[in-house]
Amino acid sequence: ARDFSTGTNLATEEIIDIIEAVEAVGGMASQAMLGNTVFAIGKKGTCDELTETLSGFGQVLHYRISPGSIRII
């Protein structure tokens, strides 16, 4: 996704700055294909540092990814 968004010039300078900031603190990031949105993934224990880094660019939302299969709750 990152190569596509930067290679096709869809990523703005701000998006590129955000991705580089996330990578500077050890995370991985790319641009979502719809809108001016970045998603980032960090290693366990890096959530606070990633949140602090990203909050300088705007609103930060947190989501967890389940390692399990689909469940009905």
Side-chain angles (χ1 to χ4, degrees):
R2 177 189 176 171
D3 291 342
F4 178 79
S5 63
T6 56
T8 58
N9 295 321
L10 290 174
T12 63
E13 287 298 319
E14 181 180 29
I15 294 292
I16 293 169
D17 289 346
I18 295 168
I19 292 170
E20 289 174 351
V22 168
E23 290 175 346
V25 295
M28 296 182 299
S30 187
Q31 179 179 11
M33 292 299 104
L34 297 173
N36 199 26
T37 302
V38 170
F39 61 91
I41 301 170
K43 295 178 182 176
K44 188 174 183 176
T46 63
C47 184
D48 291 340
E49 190 172 16
L50 282 173
T51 299
E52 183 179 333
T53 299
L54 290 168
S55 66
F57 296 98
Q59 181 182 17
V60 178
L61 302 173
H62 295 264
Y63 298 95
R64 294 181 188 261
I65 299 171
S66 174
S69 61
I70 298 172
R71 299 177 286 176
I72 297 176
I73 51 174

